[in-house]
Amino acid sequence: MSIVIQNLSKRFGGKVVLQNFSWTVDGPQVLMGPSGCGKTTLLRILLGLETPDTGTVTGVTTPAAVFQEDRLCPQLTALDNLVLTGHGLTRAQAERELRALGFTGAELALPAARLSGGQKRRAALLRALLCQDAQTLLLDEPFTGMDAELVAQAAAAVVRLAGSRPAILVTHDSAAAELLGWPVRRLTPAQT
Amino acid sequence: MISTTGPKGWQRLAVLAFWLAVWQLAAMTLGHGGLFLATPWQALQALARLLPTAEFWQRIAFSALRILAGFALAVAGGLLLGAGSARWQGLRLLLEPLMQLIRAMPVASFVILALLWVRGANLSVVVSFTHVLPVVYAGVLAGIADTDAQLLEMARVYRLPLAARLRYIWLPGIFPSFCESCIAAMGMCWKSGVSAEVIGLPDHSVGDALYRAKITLSTPDVFAWTLVIVLLSALLSAAATRGLRAAKRRLCGEVRA
């Protein structure tokens, strides 16, 4: 199943954010572009959180997402957050992947509110990747707050766990995009 | 410089001792054997006299049962109406003047009206219910407004079932305001409930005992009963705080795989 975006337009007040944007996503792809060119708005439309002014979107089924913010339940541990949205994800599997991305036993016991920014981001990324019924992945700047070594680990996890599902990963980090090795679509203000 | 640490135990005791001394001095100044103002010692003696009697505990049970029943009904009603008002703007508009009216109405006016509709014995149920309801209703509404909208979006995207949304997002969002309102309401329901009993005079109630003490000029008994009401209110507020916090930990703390 592919994500098919046709002639999508969206404006907020007088500001045009997307204009006649079309794209077919039939596997994992990277979306790059400068701030304010509509990347996040596009993902929010795909997630059904914004309504486009014109245009259509098809093929987004049971999505999982990394939002601009981490959006973890603060009172739950990273592990509990993953299991909560995992749709059948086992605790063992979630713990294995969290440990692979650098979580220690002590960090696994902490509520999300007490994790560092980078730890929260990794948990939010794994939440999307490990959601068992997700057929579409929409990842908005998932490597924010990670150092180069962690970005490399996280990118490897993304490639391994995303598989061939239709996925859009938004990043402004060219090095991270290269590590993924996915086709890159550049969204520029001119195109919008 | 403003101190950010709370008072120490000895400081609290010193404050208590200061006010007891003020009370004692005021009672001694007024004189007449404590007729107008009983001394702390007289109040304690009266309390010691009341404590071993079966009638004292029957009155406590009679009043507590009814006041707490009114409280429980109001909490349930406040939750339902608060949730309904957050969902349907029309219901909120409809309820707003009613809640404001109840909040502004003096207990005495309400009791006199309520006496026309219910028996004196059940008066404190109605009065405590009506005084707690707007407080809990406002607390629930504030809690719903405080619930994290971004987490609700996340729940929608991840297709979380309603039970999980309630448990892990709505409840932690609503609980702080809801708890605060319940704790404040617990104190209010005792005040309004006993006031209703003093006017309605149901037999075997705390309010009835307070009234009898007044008409027989047993000022130490008035103070003893007042002390009992204050202590009961404080104890039940503390119990409500602990219970609600434990419930929050139990309900919202851990995900079962």
Side-chain angles (χ1 to χ4, degrees), chain B residues 16-242:
Chain B
L16 182 67
F18 170 80
W19 285 112
L20 281 174
V22 170
W23 179 6
Q24 177 74 32
L25 275 174
M28 283 163 64
T29 309
L30 285 171
H32 295 94
L35 181 63
F36 297 111
L37 183 62
T39 63
W41 180 241
Q42 285 173 324
L44 278 177
Q45 279 180 313
L47 185 61
R49 205 174 53 248
L50 288 169
L51 275 173
T53 64
E55 190 198 343
F56 171 82
W57 295 104
Q58 280 164 2
R59 285 184 188 275
I60 298 280
F62 180 97
S63 295
L65 199 69
R66 282 158 180 79
I67 290 169
L68 291 179
F71 176 83
L73 286 171
V75 168
L79 273 170
L80 281 176
L81 292 176
S85 290
R87 177 71 183 79
W88 296 291
Q89 181 71 11
L91 181 65
R92 188 174 181 165
L93 282 172
L94 202 67
L95 289 176
E96 204 52 46
L98 184 68
M99 295 297 173
Q100 277 182 2
L101 179 74
I102 297 173
R103 236 181 264 140
M105 214 164 156
V107 179
S109 314
F110 196 87
V111 171
I112 289 163
L113 278 175
L115 267 173
L116 302 172
W117 309 320
V118 293
R119 285 190 310 123
N122 294 325
L123 190 63
S124 50
V125 180
V126 178
V127 171
S128 116
F129 170 81
T130 44
H131 279 79
V132 170
L133 182 71
V135 180
V136 176
Y137 171 80
V140 172
L141 270 183
I144 289 173
D146 287 346
T147 302
D148 191 329
Q150 291 187 340
L151 282 182
L152 291 171
E153 260 189 8
M154 179 279 292
R156 188 176 142 197
V157 166
Y158 279 94
R159 305 162 295 284
L160 281 194
L162 179 65
R165 288 181 206 208
L166 278 175
R167 186 171 174 185
Y168 299 111
I169 300 173
W170 284 111
L171 271 180
I174 293 168
F175 243 84
S177 296
F178 174 70
C179 285
E180 267 179 46
S181 65
C182 283
I183 292 159
M186 181 59 86
M188 285 177 65
C189 77
W190 276 96
K191 276 188 239 172
S192 58
V194 174
S195 301
E197 286 175 351
V198 169
I199 298 169
L201 296 176
D203 290 339
H204 317 298
S205 69
V206 170
D208 177 56
L210 204 56
Y211 182 77
R212 283 171 195 277
K214 180 233 165 194
I215 56 169
T216 55
L217 298 177
S218 307
T219 314
D221 283 12
V222 173
F223 275 83
W225 278 112
T226 305
L227 195 64
V228 167
I229 295 161
V230 170
L231 283 174
L232 272 175
S233 173
L235 277 174
L236 288 167
S237 289
T241 309
R242 286 175 75 98

Side-chain angles (χ1 to χ4, degrees), chain A residues 44 47-49 62-65 67 69 71-72 75-76 80 84-85 87 91 127-128 131 133, chain B residues 148-151 153-154 156-161 164 167-169 172 252-257:
Chain A
R44 286 183 61 79
L47 288 169
L49 302 174
T62 56
F67 301 89
E69 312 80 12
R71 302 196 186 189
L72 299 169
Q75 77 280 17
L76 301 181
D80 285 335
L84 178 65
T85 53
H87 292 280
R91 296 184 79 82
R127 176 175 62 187
C131 179
D133 72 347
Chain B
D148 191 329
Q150 291 187 340
L151 282 182
E153 260 189 8
M154 179 279 292
R156 188 176 142 197
V157 166
Y158 279 94
R159 305 162 295 284
L160 281 194
R167 186 171 174 185
Y168 299 111
I169 300 173
C252 319
E254 189 189 341
V255 182
R256 292 200 186 102

Side-chain angles (χ1 to χ4, degrees), chain A residues 145-169:
Chain A
M146 298 184 203
D147 60 28
E149 192 185 339
L150 272 175
V151 169
Q153 285 177 24
V158 169
V159 172
R160 178 168 53 86
L161 295 168
S164 58
R165 287 179 282 182
I168 298 174
L169 186 146

